[in-house]
Short mmCIF file of all heavy atoms in Angstrom, two decimals:
data_model
loop_
_atom_site.label_atom_id
_atom_site.label_comp_id
_atom_site.label_asym_id
_atom_site.label_seq_id
_atom_site.Cartn_x
_atom_site.Cartn_y
_atom_site.Cartn_z
N PHE A 925 -7.58 114.35 97.17
CA PHE A 925 -6.24 114.65 97.70
C PHE A 925 -5.18 114.07 96.85
O PHE A 925 -4.14 114.76 96.43
CB PHE A 925 -6.09 114.04 99.12
CG PHE A 925 -6.40 115.03 100.24
CD1 PHE A 925 -7.41 114.77 101.18
CD2 PHE A 925 -5.65 116.20 100.40
CE1 PHE A 925 -7.66 115.62 102.22
CE2 PHE A 925 -5.88 117.08 101.42
CZ PHE A 925 -6.87 116.80 102.36
N LEU A 937 -15.68 118.59 101.40
CA LEU A 937 -15.56 118.79 102.84
C LEU A 937 -16.84 119.45 103.38
O LEU A 937 -17.30 119.18 104.45
CB LEU A 937 -14.38 119.71 103.13
CG LEU A 937 -13.06 119.04 103.52
CD1 LEU A 937 -11.97 120.08 103.67
CD2 LEU A 937 -13.18 118.23 104.79
N LEU A 940 -19.31 116.81 103.70
CA LEU A 940 -18.91 115.90 104.75
C LEU A 940 -19.43 116.44 106.08
O LEU A 940 -19.89 115.65 106.90
CB LEU A 940 -17.37 115.74 104.86
CG LEU A 940 -16.84 114.70 105.85
CD1 LEU A 940 -17.23 113.33 105.37
CD2 LEU A 940 -15.32 114.86 105.97
N TYR A 949 -15.88 110.72 116.77
CA TYR A 949 -14.73 110.51 115.92
C TYR A 949 -14.93 111.08 114.56
O TYR A 949 -13.98 111.48 113.84
CB TYR A 949 -14.33 109.02 115.78
CG TYR A 949 -13.95 108.40 117.13
CD1 TYR A 949 -14.32 107.12 117.43
CD2 TYR A 949 -13.26 109.16 118.05
CE1 TYR A 949 -13.99 106.59 118.70
CE2 TYR A 949 -12.93 108.61 119.28
CZ TYR A 949 -13.30 107.34 119.58
OH TYR A 949 -12.93 106.78 120.83
N GLU A 950 -16.21 111.16 114.09
CA GLU A 950 -16.49 111.77 112.78
C GLU A 950 -16.22 113.26 112.83
O GLU A 950 -15.79 113.90 111.83
CB GLU A 950 -17.94 111.47 112.36
CG GLU A 950 -18.15 109.95 111.98
CD GLU A 950 -19.45 109.70 111.43
OE1 GLU A 950 -20.30 110.60 111.31
OE2 GLU A 950 -19.74 108.48 111.10
N VAL A 951 -16.49 113.89 113.99
CA VAL A 951 -16.15 115.30 114.18
C VAL A 951 -14.69 115.51 114.07
O VAL A 951 -14.17 116.44 113.42
CB VAL A 951 -16.69 115.87 115.55
CG1 VAL A 951 -16.30 117.25 115.74
CG2 VAL A 951 -18.15 115.64 115.61
N VAL A 952 -13.93 114.61 114.71
CA VAL A 952 -12.45 114.66 114.68
C VAL A 952 -11.90 114.51 113.24
O VAL A 952 -11.01 115.26 112.81
CB VAL A 952 -11.83 113.55 115.56
CG1 VAL A 952 -10.31 113.51 115.45
CG2 VAL A 952 -12.19 113.81 117.03
N ILE A 953 -12.48 113.61 112.56
CA ILE A 953 -12.10 113.33 111.13
C ILE A 953 -12.35 114.54 110.31
O ILE A 953 -11.43 115.05 109.57
CB ILE A 953 -12.83 112.10 110.54
CG1 ILE A 953 -12.33 110.80 111.21
CG2 ILE A 953 -12.59 111.99 109.01
CD1 ILE A 953 -13.23 109.63 110.91
N TYR A 954 -13.52 115.12 110.42
CA TYR A 954 -13.82 116.32 109.62
C TYR A 954 -12.88 117.48 110.01
O TYR A 954 -12.31 118.08 109.03
CB TYR A 954 -15.31 116.77 109.89
CG TYR A 954 -15.57 118.14 109.37
CD1 TYR A 954 -15.70 118.35 107.97
CD2 TYR A 954 -15.68 119.26 110.24
CE1 TYR A 954 -15.96 119.63 107.49
CE2 TYR A 954 -15.89 120.52 109.73
CZ TYR A 954 -16.09 120.69 108.36
OH TYR A 954 -16.29 121.96 107.84
N GLU A 955 -12.71 117.78 111.27
CA GLU A 955 -11.89 118.87 111.65
C GLU A 955 -10.42 118.72 111.23
O GLU A 955 -9.70 119.64 110.77
CB GLU A 955 -11.95 119.12 113.16
CG GLU A 955 -13.28 119.61 113.66
CD GLU A 955 -13.59 121.07 113.18
OE1 GLU A 955 -12.70 121.77 112.79
OE2 GLU A 955 -14.80 121.40 113.18
N THR A 956 -9.95 117.44 111.30
CA THR A 956 -8.53 117.13 110.99
C THR A 956 -8.29 117.25 109.51
O THR A 956 -7.29 117.80 109.01
CB THR A 956 -8.14 115.78 111.45
OG1 THR A 956 -8.38 115.68 112.91
CG2 THR A 956 -6.71 115.44 111.18
N LEU A 957 -9.24 116.68 108.68
CA LEU A 957 -9.07 116.80 107.24
C LEU A 957 -9.14 118.25 106.80
O LEU A 957 -8.44 118.68 105.88
CB LEU A 957 -10.21 115.99 106.54
CG LEU A 957 -10.06 114.46 106.58
CD1 LEU A 957 -11.27 113.79 105.95
CD2 LEU A 957 -8.75 114.00 105.96
N LYS A 958 -9.99 119.08 107.44
CA LYS A 958 -10.03 120.45 107.12
C LYS A 958 -8.73 121.11 107.42
O LYS A 958 -8.19 121.99 106.65
CB LYS A 958 -11.14 121.10 107.92
CG LYS A 958 -11.54 122.52 107.46
CD LYS A 958 -12.81 123.02 108.12
CE LYS A 958 -12.61 123.36 109.61
NZ LYS A 958 -13.71 124.05 110.20
N SER A 959 -8.04 120.74 108.51
CA SER A 959 -6.74 121.34 108.82
C SER A 959 -5.67 120.90 107.86
O SER A 959 -4.77 121.65 107.55
CB SER A 959 -6.28 120.96 110.30
OG SER A 959 -5.96 119.59 110.39
N TYR A 960 -5.77 119.66 107.31
CA TYR A 960 -4.82 119.22 106.34
C TYR A 960 -5.01 119.87 104.99
O TYR A 960 -4.02 120.00 104.23
CB TYR A 960 -4.88 117.68 106.18
CG TYR A 960 -4.02 116.97 107.21
CD1 TYR A 960 -4.58 116.14 108.19
CD2 TYR A 960 -2.59 117.10 107.15
CE1 TYR A 960 -3.80 115.47 109.15
CE2 TYR A 960 -1.82 116.44 108.08
CZ TYR A 960 -2.44 115.65 109.07
OH TYR A 960 -1.61 114.99 110.01
N VAL A 961 -6.21 120.29 104.66
CA VAL A 961 -6.39 121.08 103.43
C VAL A 961 -5.61 122.29 103.46
O VAL A 961 -4.96 122.71 102.56
CB VAL A 961 -7.92 121.37 103.25
CG1 VAL A 961 -8.14 122.37 102.12
CG2 VAL A 961 -8.70 120.12 102.93
N ASP A 962 -5.72 123.02 104.63
CA ASP A 962 -4.87 124.31 104.75
C ASP A 962 -3.42 123.97 104.75
O ASP A 962 -2.61 124.71 104.17
CB ASP A 962 -5.25 125.01 106.13
CG ASP A 962 -6.64 125.69 106.03
OD1 ASP A 962 -7.06 125.94 104.90
OD2 ASP A 962 -7.17 125.98 107.09
N LEU A 963 -3.05 122.88 105.41
CA LEU A 963 -1.64 122.56 105.50
C LEU A 963 -1.03 122.29 104.11
O LEU A 963 0.06 122.86 103.78
CB LEU A 963 -1.39 121.32 106.40
CG LEU A 963 0.03 120.87 106.56
CD1 LEU A 963 0.77 121.81 107.51
CD2 LEU A 963 0.04 119.42 107.15
N PHE A 964 -1.70 121.44 103.32
CA PHE A 964 -1.14 121.09 102.04
C PHE A 964 -1.27 122.22 101.01
O PHE A 964 -0.45 122.39 100.16
CB PHE A 964 -1.88 119.81 101.49
CG PHE A 964 -1.73 118.61 102.40
CD1 PHE A 964 -2.65 117.57 102.37
CD2 PHE A 964 -0.60 118.47 103.21
CE1 PHE A 964 -2.52 116.47 103.20
CE2 PHE A 964 -0.42 117.33 104.03
CZ PHE A 964 -1.38 116.31 103.98
N SER A 970 -3.38 125.62 110.50
CA SER A 970 -4.53 126.50 110.84
C SER A 970 -4.90 126.34 112.31
O SER A 970 -4.71 125.33 112.92
CB SER A 970 -5.71 126.08 109.96
OG SER A 970 -6.03 124.68 110.16
N SER A 972 -7.36 125.72 115.04
CA SER A 972 -8.68 125.06 115.15
C SER A 972 -9.43 125.56 116.37
O SER A 972 -8.86 125.81 117.44
CB SER A 972 -8.51 123.56 115.25
OG SER A 972 -9.74 122.96 115.48
N GLU A 974 -11.68 123.77 117.75
CA GLU A 974 -11.87 122.55 118.56
C GLU A 974 -10.56 122.08 119.13
O GLU A 974 -9.49 122.17 118.49
CB GLU A 974 -12.44 121.41 117.67
CG GLU A 974 -13.76 121.78 116.96
CD GLU A 974 -14.97 121.86 117.89
OE1 GLU A 974 -14.79 121.34 119.00
OE2 GLU A 974 -15.93 122.39 117.47
N PHE A 976 -9.06 118.82 120.82
CA PHE A 976 -9.24 117.33 121.02
C PHE A 976 -8.19 116.71 121.92
O PHE A 976 -7.83 115.56 121.80
CB PHE A 976 -9.34 116.60 119.74
CG PHE A 976 -10.44 117.08 118.82
CD1 PHE A 976 -10.18 117.71 117.62
CD2 PHE A 976 -11.77 116.91 119.21
CE1 PHE A 976 -11.19 118.20 116.82
CE2 PHE A 976 -12.86 117.35 118.37
CZ PHE A 976 -12.54 117.98 117.15
N PHE A 979 -5.07 114.26 120.97
CA PHE A 979 -5.26 114.10 119.53
C PHE A 979 -4.82 115.32 118.72
O PHE A 979 -4.13 115.22 117.67
CB PHE A 979 -6.77 113.86 119.23
CG PHE A 979 -7.03 113.11 118.02
CD1 PHE A 979 -7.46 111.79 118.08
CD2 PHE A 979 -6.93 113.67 116.76
CE1 PHE A 979 -7.69 111.05 116.92
CE2 PHE A 979 -7.14 112.98 115.62
CZ PHE A 979 -7.57 111.67 115.69
N SER A 980 -5.15 116.47 119.19
CA SER A 980 -4.68 117.73 118.62
C SER A 980 -3.18 117.89 118.70
O SER A 980 -2.59 118.35 117.71
CB SER A 980 -5.36 118.93 119.26
OG SER A 980 -6.80 118.90 119.08
N ILE A 982 -1.03 115.38 118.70
CA ILE A 982 -0.46 114.52 117.70
C ILE A 982 -0.46 115.13 116.29
O ILE A 982 0.55 115.10 115.60
CB ILE A 982 -1.28 113.12 117.69
CG1 ILE A 982 -1.04 112.38 119.01
CG2 ILE A 982 -0.90 112.27 116.48
CD1 ILE A 982 -1.99 111.26 119.20
N ASN A 983 -1.61 115.68 115.92
CA ASN A 983 -1.75 116.29 114.63
C ASN A 983 -0.77 117.47 114.46
O ASN A 983 -0.16 117.63 113.40
CB ASN A 983 -3.16 116.77 114.37
CG ASN A 983 -4.06 115.65 113.99
OD1 ASN A 983 -3.68 114.66 113.37
ND2 ASN A 983 -5.36 115.80 114.34
N LYS A 984 -0.63 118.26 115.49
CA LYS A 984 0.24 119.38 115.44
C LYS A 984 1.73 118.97 115.25
O LYS A 984 2.45 119.59 114.48
CB LYS A 984 0.10 120.27 116.70
CG LYS A 984 0.75 121.65 116.57
CD LYS A 984 0.37 122.52 117.80
CE LYS A 984 0.98 123.92 117.62
NZ LYS A 984 0.66 124.77 118.76
N GLN A 987 2.05 117.87 111.61
CA GLN A 987 1.98 118.99 110.67
C GLN A 987 3.21 119.86 110.75
O GLN A 987 3.71 120.37 109.74
CB GLN A 987 0.71 119.82 110.99
CG GLN A 987 -0.57 119.02 110.60
CD GLN A 987 -1.84 119.77 110.86
OE1 GLN A 987 -1.82 120.90 111.29
NE2 GLN A 987 -2.97 119.16 110.56
N LEU A 1076 1.09 111.02 105.80
CA LEU A 1076 0.48 111.75 106.93
C LEU A 1076 -0.93 111.38 107.15
O LEU A 1076 -1.41 111.08 108.25
CB LEU A 1076 0.59 113.27 106.76
CG LEU A 1076 1.99 113.89 106.89
CD1 LEU A 1076 1.90 115.33 106.56
CD2 LEU A 1076 2.57 113.66 108.27
N LEU A 1077 -1.73 111.39 106.01
CA LEU A 1077 -3.13 110.97 106.08
C LEU A 1077 -3.30 109.49 106.49
O LEU A 1077 -4.16 109.17 107.23
CB LEU A 1077 -3.76 111.23 104.74
CG LEU A 1077 -3.92 112.72 104.36
CD1 LEU A 1077 -4.42 112.84 102.86
CD2 LEU A 1077 -4.94 113.43 105.31
N PHE A 1080 -2.93 109.28 110.16
CA PHE A 1080 -4.06 109.78 110.83
C PHE A 1080 -5.19 108.72 110.81
O PHE A 1080 -5.86 108.50 111.89
CB PHE A 1080 -4.57 111.06 110.12
CG PHE A 1080 -5.90 111.48 110.50
CD1 PHE A 1080 -6.20 111.92 111.80
CD2 PHE A 1080 -6.96 111.42 109.60
CE1 PHE A 1080 -7.48 112.28 112.16
CE2 PHE A 1080 -8.22 111.75 109.97
CZ PHE A 1080 -8.56 112.22 111.27
N PHE A 1081 -5.43 108.11 109.75
CA PHE A 1081 -6.50 107.09 109.68
C PHE A 1081 -6.15 105.87 110.49
O PHE A 1081 -7.08 105.10 110.94
CB PHE A 1081 -6.88 106.77 108.22
CG PHE A 1081 -7.74 107.87 107.66
CD1 PHE A 1081 -7.26 108.69 106.59
CD2 PHE A 1081 -9.02 108.15 108.07
CE1 PHE A 1081 -8.03 109.73 106.03
CE2 PHE A 1081 -9.81 109.12 107.62
CZ PHE A 1081 -9.27 109.95 106.53
N LEU A 1083 -4.66 105.98 113.32
CA LEU A 1083 -5.02 106.38 114.69
C LEU A 1083 -6.58 106.30 114.87
O LEU A 1083 -7.03 105.76 115.90
CB LEU A 1083 -4.58 107.82 114.90
CG LEU A 1083 -4.97 108.43 116.28
CD1 LEU A 1083 -4.44 107.63 117.45
CD2 LEU A 1083 -4.37 109.82 116.35
N ILE A 1084 -7.35 106.66 113.86
CA ILE A 1084 -8.78 106.60 113.90
C ILE A 1084 -9.20 105.07 114.05
O ILE A 1084 -10.10 104.74 114.85
CB ILE A 1084 -9.39 107.24 112.71
CG1 ILE A 1084 -9.24 108.77 112.72
CG2 ILE A 1084 -10.93 106.90 112.62
CD1 ILE A 1084 -9.97 109.48 113.78
#
Side-chain angles (χ1 to χ4, degrees):
F925 263 122
L937 267 176
L940 188 68
Y949 299 142
E950 289 187 359
V951 177
V952 172
I953 291 169
Y954 168 73
E955 292 292 341
T956 303
L957 288 178
K958 194 169 71 169
S959 73
Y960 273 115
V961 170
D962 284 343
L963 181 73
F964 299 153
S970 58
S972 175
E974 304 287 345
F976 301 113
F979 205 106
S980 296
I982 291 167
N983 281 331
K984 195 171 181 181
Q987 292 182 358
L1076 289 176
L1077 292 171
F1080 165 67
F1081 283 111
L1083 176 55
I1084 292 293

